[in-house]
Amino acid sequence: MQDIIEPSLDPTEHALTGESRTNPDFDPDLLPARKQKGRGAISNIDGRFERHVHQSVDDGWINQLLDDEPPRIKTTLGIDGARSVITRNQSPDVPFDRSINPYRGCEHGCVYCFARPTHAYLGLSPGLDFETKLFWKPDAANLLRKQLSARSYSPAPIVIGTSTDPYQRIDRDKKLTRSIIGVLSDCQHPFSLITKSALVTRDIDLIAPMAAKNRASVAMSVTSLDHRLSNLLEPRASAPHRRLDAIRKLTDAGIPVTVLCAPIIPGLNDMEIENIVAACADAGAQSVSHIVLRLPLEIADLFEEWLEAHYPERKAKVLSLIRQMRGGEMYQSEFGTRMRGTGPIADLIANRFKAARKKHNLTGRSLDLDCKGFKRPNADGQMSLF
């Protein structure tokens, strides 16, 4: 059913957004997207490769009241027919050159997720499609074993979950991440996990023995301690207190944990920096790092929509501070600055983290894992006869 607008009592004002009809770019027939409970993106904007732009318009029939919730979008799961699972990178901004992402798309729905634009390659929207139309790699464990068995392969730490969370909700059933960890453990191949889900504690029995040999670690993403803000930014991710509890369980099991405070959004969660670092240190984290908000490609529009829907009174300030960290732009993609930003605001954030780490005897992020114990598997999973 198509959303429509309710006639406004004030003929000069849009019924849903309050936008003035005196704005020359304002079209009174266009319908704004409406936020959905449990989803991060507000709209399903078209990807940058699409030839057409789809917009909802008022057809003159009032079929739905404004206070009704829009129809819920169900999550669907398709198959990713990838022929390999290890992705290589040459970025100087990260301490690893290879990674594994068991899933495409992520049900956590983090509105700021820098992986959202990748859904455009599939002909899907980086908006709601990214968090509702997911894809998994059912043969990931076998593909990984095959890649590791190649004589040309040289071991180095593999990071699992660099684009989409390996412990998003569907992994409760699929256990795809656990099967990947199982292969790496069998081969004594070093790995690190990046997640914002307490589900990671399910696999402590596999991670801890590897961590005891300095061959495994976990990076827990903590964006905010404010439950309301966290729920709006990351609607289907674990609540802040559950992430802190997961850090405790992991460290109690002897697994080194680093905290990624990402993203830091000036004017929205930067006032929490010291409290986040203190809480994570108290939970047992050994190191902490940060990344400032990144808004490449379609994410900029999605984030602006999100601000308008949830924090309209802060929107102008937040966007202004972001531009101050990006040389007047919404985003800069250059290596060295894309994750940290530039200028006084970015420097202040970095200095606050430095001071907080020093206060709590924490270090910065590193990935110094042992690669010497690697045992090359056979591609077919059978033991060698010779």
Side-chain angles (χ1 to χ4, degrees):
M1 182 182 298
Q2 184 183 40
D3 292 341
I4 63 172
I5 60 172
E6 183 181 62
S8 174
L9 296 178
D10 182 352
T12 65
E13 185 178 279
H14 190 290
L16 289 180
T17 65
E19 188 173 0
S20 172
R21 293 180 185 271
T22 60
N23 182 341
D25 297 325
F26 174 69
D27 185 340
D29 291 329
L30 291 182
L31 296 177
R34 297 190 297 163
K35 57 188 177 184
Q36 293 199 28
K37 184 177 181 181
R39 299 298 183 184
I42 304 301
S43 72
N44 220 17
I45 62 173
D46 293 287
R48 58 194 178 280
F49 302 120
E50 301 307 305
R51 298 179 61 186
H52 304 287
V53 174
H54 297 82
Q55 295 176 315
S56 297
V57 297
D58 177 17
D59 60 5
W61 293 87
I62 301 178
N63 298 320
Q64 191 171 5
L65 296 177
L66 291 179
D67 55 358
D68 286 348
E69 286 191 11
R72 297 288 184 92
I73 301 177
K74 294 183 178 180
T75 301
T76 62
L77 183 62
I79 293 178
D80 182 342
R83 297 181 180 180
S84 63
V85 292
I86 299 177
T87 301
R88 302 276 184 159
N89 79 82
Q90 297 179 334
S91 171
D93 292 331
V94 293
F96 56 89
D97 68 353
R98 63 201 69 184
S99 60
I100 295 175
N101 291 290
Y103 303 99
R104 283 179 179 265
C106 186
E107 197 174 8
H108 282 169
C110 306
V111 69
Y112 54 77
C113 181
F114 68 87
R116 282 184 177 272
T118 62
H119 247 45
Y121 293 114
L122 304 176
L124 298 173
S125 171
L128 288 168
D129 280 350
F130 178 79
E131 53 195 277
T132 60
K133 295 183 179 180
L134 314 180
F135 300 85
W136 73 305
K137 304 171 183 178
D139 203 32
N142 290 330
L143 291 172
L144 174 60
R145 187 177 290 107
K146 181 178 180 179
Q147 285 187 267
L148 297 181
S149 69
R151 290 297 175 183
S152 60
Y153 181 81
S154 179
I158 289 178
V159 179
I160 306 172
T162 54
S163 292
T164 56
D165 203 303
Y167 286 107
Q168 54 184 290
R169 291 187 175 194
I170 53 176
D171 199 65
R172 296 175 186 174
D173 174 53
K174 299 303 181 184
K175 298 183 180 179
L176 185 56
T177 300
R178 183 176 178 85
S179 69
I180 291 171
I181 294 174
V183 172
L184 295 172
S185 297
D186 290 343
C187 302
Q188 292 299 298
H189 191 294
F191 65 89
S192 184
L193 295 147
I194 299 178
T195 184
K196 58 188 63 173
S197 173
L199 183 59
V200 65
T201 59
R202 178 198 65 192
D203 295 335
I204 283 179
D205 62 315
L206 294 180
I207 304 170
M210 289 289 284
K213 302 174 185 177
N214 188 33
R215 292 171 187 162
S217 63
V218 173
M220 180 64 71
S221 175
V222 180
T223 310
S224 174
L225 300 179
D226 183 328
H227 281 242
R228 179 179 183 274
L229 176 58
S230 179
N231 185 55
L232 294 175
L233 273 173
E234 311 154 336
R236 299 198 178 196
S238 294
H241 70 279
R242 295 199 63 212
R243 298 186 213 184
L244 293 176
D245 183 59
I247 293 173
R248 293 188 184 94
K249 290 179 179 177
L250 292 165
T251 54
D252 287 347
I255 301 170
V257 178
T258 188
V259 171
L260 297 179
C261 295
I264 294 300
I265 307 172
L268 203 60
N269 69 344
D270 60 321
M271 64 287 296
E272 296 188 66
I273 289 174
E274 288 77 11
N275 290 338
I276 291 175
V277 174
C280 292
D282 183 64
Q286 297 180 346
S287 61
V288 63
S289 183
H290 81 282
I291 300 174
V292 299
L293 180 67
R294 299 166 58 187
L295 297 175
L297 303 171
E298 294 93 344
I299 307 177
D301 289 338
L302 289 168
F303 185 69
E304 286 196 48
E305 283 183 344
W306 182 89
L307 281 174
E308 181 63 36
H310 298 294
Y311 292 94
E313 75 286 354
R314 298 195 200 182
K315 179 180 176 181
K317 177 182 179 181
V318 171
L319 295 180
S320 173
L321 292 171
I322 290 172
R323 290 189 176 95
Q324 290 179 52
M325 293 194 302
R326 300 296 186 185
E329 304 293 332
M330 288 293 286
Y331 181 60
Q332 292 174 314
S333 60
E334 291 80 11
F335 288 139
T337 60
R338 60 179 183 155
M339 293 186 176
R340 291 290 183 266
T342 60
I345 302 298
D347 291 343
L348 177 60
I349 290 173
N351 289 333
R352 288 173 62 190
F353 269 104
K354 182 179 180 180
R357 280 197 299 267
K358 182 178 180 180
K359 178 179 180 180
H360 297 283
N361 297 314
L362 301 176
T363 63
R365 184 187 182 192
S366 66
L367 201 62
D368 185 17
L369 299 176
D370 176 37
C371 299
K372 297 178 181 178
F374 174 63
K375 298 184 294 185
R376 196 179 310 279
N378 289 320
D380 58 6
Q382 301 295 319
M383 295 292 291
S384 173
L385 298 176
F386 304 98

